[in-house]
Amino acid sequence: MPSFSETTAQAEHATVGDRSVGPVLPQVARFDTPLPLACGRTLAQYELAYETYGTLDAARSNAVLICHALNASHHVAGFYAEDPGNVGWWDNMVGPGKPLDTQRFFVVGVNNLGSCFGSTGPLSTNPETGRAWGSDFPLITVEDWVDAQAQLADRLGIRQWAAVMGGSLGGMQALDWAIRYPSRIRNALVIAAAPNLSAENIAFNEIARQAIMTDPDFHDGNFEAYDAKPRRGLRVARMIGHITYLSDEQMDAKFGRQLREGLNFSFAPEFQIESYLRHQGEKFAEYYDANTYLRITKALDYFDPATREDGDLARALAPATCRFLVISFSTDWRFPASRSREIVKALVRGRRDVSYTEIAAPHGHDAFLLDNPQYHAVVRAWFERIASEIGAAQ
Amino acid sequence: MPSFSETTAQAEHATVGDRSVGPVLPQVARFDTPLPLACGRTLAQYELAYETYGTLDAARSNAVLICHALNASHHVAGFYAEDPGNVGWWDNMVGPGKPLDTQRFFVVGVNNLGSCFGSTGPLSTNPETGRAWGSDFPLITVEDWVDAQAQLADRLGIRQWAAVMGGSLGGMQALDWAIRYPSRIRNALVIAAAPNLSAENIAFNEIARQAIMTDPDFHDGNFEAYDAKPRRGLRVARMIGHITYLSDEQMDAKFGRQLREGLNFSFAPEFQIESYLRHQGEKFAEYYDANTYLRITKALDYFDPATREDGDLARALAPATCRFLVISFSTDWRFPASRSREIVKALVRGRRDVSYTEIAAPHGHDAFLLDNPQYHAVVRAWFERIASEIGAAQ
């Protein structure tokens, strides 16, 4: 499996130290019960790649599900023995003594359907044809993901999650768990998320998709058959995404108008930010699958639980019975604090149990992956409360 | 000449009414005095397309230069008799009785070097080869543009502009006039501009360039020789640019999450914002030249007068003797108000004569092209003062 990261910032901050869960092994669960999808199609069978850290207690009450965002995976914490540099994307959050303490909790990281990192997706073999699904893999929604995650919970013998937690698109999955599986979740941690995408969010996704789909090497999604890969499109898509992960001020602090050498009056990279973005694009184009990228951005676009209640988010959240922790970051302009507050207001209006924190951080949307002391203290305190409740119940 | 607009918003608001300058004719001035460029090359000869509105007074004291932004032209006001729908891009600002009143001022709109709308650029014939310049056309800077505009001023017998005015990249040209031709400008109107591009601004430009340059139909800029056009790249570039022209809230107000029909679980356009952006991209790819786009974004990236004074903008502005009117818009996130205030602070620090207005407007960067009453009142008052000074001097 390739090394990957939601953002570069993550890679810089992840550390393999004393408090790491250590070497981990990905596992695969195979399901033969058909999974009906929102698009109307059905996956007759599928696999989910996952990892677990810590020990499930006898009462099966200390399980926490981590949901990943756009291009991360089930590799949340620890590292692979054969590739020690490949550290989980939320390793600063999950481990012994970390905010989500694996000495107390049994943590499950799962790769979503449609991904290219192990769970069934466009790169997998379509049993009906014997060839890779490719462009014929169905479009998947957040709800489909959560339904599949519920199957995994059953398989692991987890009737109720102590918490479901995620940032960005992962936060949307936590929200959906709370709404559609209320009896199976005691806490939802919804971080750097939004109740749906704004027109601007959709616009960024659509441009990324257009870059991929108009790449002549895309071949309507059947690029594998042509021994091709739409690298140009993936590069541009990644560069576009990357801008939305960082705050303007963070970009200025990190790159500003710094030149690599001097002005050369050509279209070779001159500013540091140019070579940084090109490098990010190149890396991504090598390890990511174009059909997966298209599908995950669509899942983001589609998510909008309020539509089921004529746009009334409070009504959409009414089935939820868990406690909510909602966290936003001051310079996140992909999902600004105001979007998180929409969730909070809807929960308050519905008299649900919700805590909200806006963290002052310069890092933009990326901040949810970084080791911000205030942010981590809030999450730590939340899990300490959950742990003490588990202790009291036993 | 194709119909074009800086943004769609402009097209919606431009009107051909009683207060139009009416039908206009573009003119072309040919220069045979070589123009040395910042890149080290020299244009041996060149042409500038321009339009004029109103009458130059006997003292030649009422001339106003309008500088255009990324993809506009010399067609600032009025319309073409043979194409009445092709209304000037700032027609709401310039005309009889309008904020810049053509009954009192002689207004000059000029197309910049490197453009694809009439002035010498990549589509023009390189006299040395007899073929179109294409990718061999030099990279041009804001300073080069202003030097060429000064040649046009000489040709028109204008020793000193009553004002030089521009929005966005046009504002940067007004700033450069003030710095490098202080005796030739009495007022600089610097609207929705910045003293240089931020890392994020450069990033957006670079992604647009990458989209164009990696389009297989680009052929290293020699696409004409291959009878090709990098339409895919231009489409993506335009879509990226377009997002930065509009505010998040304006996009939500205009498009929100509206669907065209329903969800179809495909990659055909589903949300209105998707088809809007695709349409903008398609249009742009038909009428705009890729080599021009690359060069104009580079001119934006390069502009940074403070570098000539070790980053001290006040010192860079020290040669200026004109009065400044700086205007920003509250929801402009391409060139936020904070960037305009950098200019204002530097001018104040240098004890220059500067007025500053931040207009509350929901339209983002686009606002500078729109008919906002408060904005237009400020500009109108400014020109009334200039007109009264001209009157008093005569």
Side-chain angles (χ1 to χ4, degrees), chain A residues 101-117:
Chain A
D101 189 346
T102 50
Q103 293 165 326
R104 295 159 137 188
F105 290 96
F106 177 67
V107 178
V108 179
V110 60
N111 188 216
N112 284 326
L113 287 173
S115 174
C116 50
F117 294 133

PDB file of all heavy atoms in Angstrom, chain A residues 101-117:
ATOM      1  N   ASP A 101      -7.096   7.474  23.840  1.00  0.00           N
ATOM      2  CA  ASP A 101      -6.087   6.623  24.491  1.00  0.00           C
ATOM      3  C   ASP A 101      -6.388   5.144  24.216  1.00  0.00           C
ATOM      4  O   ASP A 101      -7.414   4.612  24.661  1.00  0.00           O
ATOM      5  CB  ASP A 101      -6.094   6.918  25.996  1.00  0.00           C
ATOM      6  CG  ASP A 101      -4.932   6.248  26.714  1.00  0.00           C
ATOM      7  OD1 ASP A 101      -4.275   5.352  26.130  1.00  0.00           O
ATOM      8  OD2 ASP A 101      -4.677   6.626  27.878  1.00  0.00           O
ATOM      9  N   THR A 102      -5.490   4.516  23.501  1.00  0.00           N
ATOM     10  CA  THR A 102      -5.700   3.106  23.135  1.00  0.00           C
ATOM     11  C   THR A 102      -5.458   2.161  24.316  1.00  0.00           C
ATOM     12  O   THR A 102      -5.674   0.955  24.183  1.00  0.00           O
ATOM     13  CB  THR A 102      -4.779   2.712  21.961  1.00  0.00           C
ATOM     14  OG1 THR A 102      -3.442   3.114  22.271  1.00  0.00           O
ATOM     15  CG2 THR A 102      -5.235   3.361  20.672  1.00  0.00           C
ATOM     16  N   GLN A 103      -5.021   2.717  25.460  1.00  0.00           N
ATOM     17  CA  GLN A 103      -4.977   1.880  26.669  1.00  0.00           C
ATOM     18  C   GLN A 103      -6.368   1.726  27.280  1.00  0.00           C
ATOM     19  O   GLN A 103      -6.603   0.846  28.095  1.00  0.00           O
ATOM     20  CB  GLN A 103      -4.012   2.485  27.700  1.00  0.00           C
ATOM     21  CG  GLN A 103      -2.557   2.428  27.211  1.00  0.00           C
ATOM     22  CD  GLN A 103      -1.629   3.321  28.002  1.00  0.00           C
ATOM     23  OE1 GLN A 103      -2.015   4.393  28.464  1.00  0.00           O
ATOM     24  NE2 GLN A 103      -0.400   2.875  28.178  1.00  0.00           N
ATOM     25  N   ARG A 104      -7.245   2.614  26.883  1.00  0.00           N
ATOM     26  CA  ARG A 104      -8.607   2.567  27.420  1.00  0.00           C
ATOM     27  C   ARG A 104      -9.643   2.212  26.362  1.00  0.00           C
ATOM     28  O   ARG A 104     -10.709   1.692  26.681  1.00  0.00           O
ATOM     29  CB  ARG A 104      -8.977   3.932  28.010  1.00  0.00           C
ATOM     30  CG  ARG A 104      -8.133   4.289  29.213  1.00  0.00           C
ATOM     31  CD  ARG A 104      -8.170   5.784  29.421  1.00  0.00           C
ATOM     32  NE  ARG A 104      -8.338   6.136  30.817  1.00  0.00           N
ATOM     33  CZ  ARG A 104      -8.551   7.375  31.250  1.00  0.00           C
ATOM     34  NH1 ARG A 104      -8.657   8.366  30.401  1.00  0.00           N
ATOM     35  NH2 ARG A 104      -8.677   7.621  32.539  1.00  0.00           N
ATOM     36  N   PHE A 105      -9.358   2.554  25.138  1.00  0.00           N
ATOM     37  CA  PHE A 105     -10.360   2.365  24.090  1.00  0.00           C
ATOM     38  C   PHE A 105      -9.888   1.366  23.030  1.00  0.00           C
ATOM     39  O   PHE A 105      -8.693   1.228  22.783  1.00  0.00           O
ATOM     40  CB  PHE A 105     -10.705   3.701  23.421  1.00  0.00           C
ATOM     41  CG  PHE A 105     -11.478   4.630  24.314  1.00  0.00           C
ATOM     42  CD1 PHE A 105     -10.821   5.622  25.047  1.00  0.00           C
ATOM     43  CD2 PHE A 105     -12.856   4.497  24.452  1.00  0.00           C
ATOM     44  CE1 PHE A 105     -11.534   6.469  25.885  1.00  0.00           C
ATOM     45  CE2 PHE A 105     -13.573   5.342  25.291  1.00  0.00           C
ATOM     46  CZ  PHE A 105     -12.912   6.325  26.010  1.00  0.00           C
ATOM     47  N   PHE A 106     -10.862   0.722  22.441  1.00  0.00           N
ATOM     48  CA  PHE A 106     -10.634  -0.152  21.289  1.00  0.00           C
ATOM     49  C   PHE A 106     -11.009   0.661  20.048  1.00  0.00           C
ATOM     50  O   PHE A 106     -12.182   0.988  19.831  1.00  0.00           O
ATOM     51  CB  PHE A 106     -11.519  -1.397  21.412  1.00  0.00           C
ATOM     52  CG  PHE A 106     -11.428  -2.339  20.242  1.00  0.00           C
ATOM     53  CD1 PHE A 106     -10.252  -3.042  19.976  1.00  0.00           C
ATOM     54  CD2 PHE A 106     -12.527  -2.554  19.413  1.00  0.00           C
ATOM     55  CE1 PHE A 106     -10.177  -3.936  18.903  1.00  0.00           C
ATOM     56  CE2 PHE A 106     -12.465  -3.445  18.348  1.00  0.00           C
ATOM     57  CZ  PHE A 106     -11.275  -4.140  18.094  1.00  0.00           C
ATOM     58  N   VAL A 107     -10.004   1.025  19.294  1.00  0.00           N
ATOM     59  CA  VAL A 107     -10.213   1.966  18.194  1.00  0.00           C
ATOM     60  C   VAL A 107     -10.209   1.215  16.865  1.00  0.00           C
ATOM     61  O   VAL A 107      -9.322   0.389  16.602  1.00  0.00           O
ATOM     62  CB  VAL A 107      -9.131   3.056  18.205  1.00  0.00           C
ATOM     63  CG1 VAL A 107      -9.328   4.019  17.032  1.00  0.00           C
ATOM     64  CG2 VAL A 107      -9.147   3.805  19.539  1.00  0.00           C
ATOM     65  N   VAL A 108     -11.189   1.515  16.035  1.00  0.00           N
ATOM     66  CA  VAL A 108     -11.311   0.875  14.726  1.00  0.00           C
ATOM     67  C   VAL A 108     -11.181   1.934  13.635  1.00  0.00           C
ATOM     68  O   VAL A 108     -11.909   2.926  13.633  1.00  0.00           O
ATOM     69  CB  VAL A 108     -12.685   0.167  14.594  1.00  0.00           C
ATOM     70  CG1 VAL A 108     -12.820  -0.473  13.212  1.00  0.00           C
ATOM     71  CG2 VAL A 108     -12.865  -0.867  15.702  1.00  0.00           C
ATOM     72  N   GLY A 109     -10.241   1.718  12.757  1.00  0.00           N
ATOM     73  CA  GLY A 109     -10.142   2.540  11.543  1.00  0.00           C
ATOM     74  C   GLY A 109     -10.625   1.718  10.369  1.00  0.00           C
ATOM     75  O   GLY A 109     -10.239   0.562  10.226  1.00  0.00           O
ATOM     76  N   VAL A 110     -11.476   2.303   9.544  1.00  0.00           N
ATOM     77  CA  VAL A 110     -12.037   1.540   8.426  1.00  0.00           C
ATOM     78  C   VAL A 110     -11.858   2.307   7.135  1.00  0.00           C
ATOM     79  O   VAL A 110     -11.964   3.535   7.108  1.00  0.00           O
ATOM     80  CB  VAL A 110     -13.532   1.216   8.683  1.00  0.00           C
ATOM     81  CG1 VAL A 110     -14.359   2.490   8.837  1.00  0.00           C
ATOM     82  CG2 VAL A 110     -14.102   0.347   7.556  1.00  0.00           C
ATOM     83  N   ASN A 111     -11.552   1.605   6.084  1.00  0.00           N
ATOM     84  CA  ASN A 111     -11.441   2.199   4.750  1.00  0.00           C
ATOM     85  C   ASN A 111     -12.812   2.125   4.088  1.00  0.00           C
ATOM     86  O   ASN A 111     -13.478   1.089   4.134  1.00  0.00           O
ATOM     87  CB  ASN A 111     -10.398   1.421   3.941  1.00  0.00           C
ATOM     88  CG  ASN A 111     -10.058   2.078   2.612  1.00  0.00           C
ATOM     89  OD1 ASN A 111      -9.819   1.409   1.624  1.00  0.00           O
ATOM     90  ND2 ASN A 111     -10.015   3.393   2.575  1.00  0.00           N
ATOM     91  N   ASN A 112     -13.220   3.221   3.483  1.00  0.00           N
ATOM     92  CA  ASN A 112     -14.567   3.266   2.929  1.00  0.00           C
ATOM     93  C   ASN A 112     -14.679   2.587   1.570  1.00  0.00           C
ATOM     94  O   ASN A 112     -13.721   2.516   0.807  1.00  0.00           O
ATOM     95  CB  ASN A 112     -15.040   4.714   2.818  1.00  0.00           C
ATOM     96  CG  ASN A 112     -15.438   5.267   4.179  1.00  0.00           C
ATOM     97  OD1 ASN A 112     -15.952   4.532   5.029  1.00  0.00           O
ATOM     98  ND2 ASN A 112     -15.172   6.535   4.406  1.00  0.00           N
ATOM     99  N   LEU A 113     -15.874   2.118   1.284  1.00  0.00           N
ATOM    100  CA  LEU A 113     -16.175   1.549  -0.035  1.00  0.00           C
ATOM    101  C   LEU A 113     -15.877   2.570  -1.130  1.00  0.00           C
ATOM    102  O   LEU A 113     -16.145   3.764  -0.957  1.00  0.00           O
ATOM    103  CB  LEU A 113     -17.655   1.153  -0.118  1.00  0.00           C
ATOM    104  CG  LEU A 113     -18.049  -0.095   0.666  1.00  0.00           C
ATOM    105  CD1 LEU A 113     -19.575  -0.258   0.639  1.00  0.00           C
ATOM    106  CD2 LEU A 113     -17.368  -1.324   0.089  1.00  0.00           C
ATOM    107  N   GLY A 114     -15.326   2.106  -2.209  1.00  0.00           N
ATOM    108  CA  GLY A 114     -15.011   3.001  -3.319  1.00  0.00           C
ATOM    109  C   GLY A 114     -13.606   3.550  -3.245  1.00  0.00           C
ATOM    110  O   GLY A 114     -13.143   4.218  -4.177  1.00  0.00           O
ATOM    111  N   SER A 115     -12.929   3.265  -2.150  1.00  0.00           N
ATOM    112  CA  SER A 115     -11.562   3.749  -1.984  1.00  0.00           C
ATOM    113  C   SER A 115     -10.593   2.940  -2.836  1.00  0.00           C
ATOM    114  O   SER A 115     -10.969   1.932  -3.455  1.00  0.00           O
ATOM    115  CB  SER A 115     -11.176   3.651  -0.503  1.00  0.00           C
ATOM    116  OG  SER A 115      -9.807   3.992  -0.327  1.00  0.00           O
ATOM    117  N   CYS A 116      -9.351   3.370  -2.864  1.00  0.00           N
ATOM    118  CA  CYS A 116      -8.325   2.627  -3.604  1.00  0.00           C
ATOM    119  C   CYS A 116      -7.256   2.108  -2.656  1.00  0.00           C
ATOM    120  O   CYS A 116      -6.140   1.831  -3.060  1.00  0.00           O
ATOM    121  CB  CYS A 116      -7.708   3.516  -4.684  1.00  0.00           C
ATOM    122  SG  CYS A 116      -7.150   5.125  -4.109  1.00  0.00           S
ATOM    123  N   PHE A 117      -7.617   1.981  -1.369  1.00  0.00           N
ATOM    124  CA  PHE A 117      -6.603   1.567  -0.394  1.00  0.00           C
ATOM    125  C   PHE A 117      -6.909   0.233   0.264  1.00  0.00           C
ATOM    126  O   PHE A 117      -6.338  -0.083   1.309  1.00  0.00           O
ATOM    127  CB  PHE A 117      -6.413   2.645   0.672  1.00  0.00           C
ATOM    128  CG  PHE A 117      -5.823   3.915   0.123  1.00  0.00           C
ATOM    129  CD1 PHE A 117      -6.375   5.147   0.434  1.00  0.00           C
ATOM    130  CD2 PHE A 117      -4.717   3.881  -0.708  1.00  0.00           C
ATOM    131  CE1 PHE A 117      -5.827   6.316  -0.078  1.00  0.00           C
ATOM    132  CE2 PHE A 117      -4.156   5.041  -1.223  1.00  0.00           C
ATOM    133  CZ  PHE A 117      -4.723   6.268  -0.905  1.00  0.00           C
TER     134      PHE A 117
END
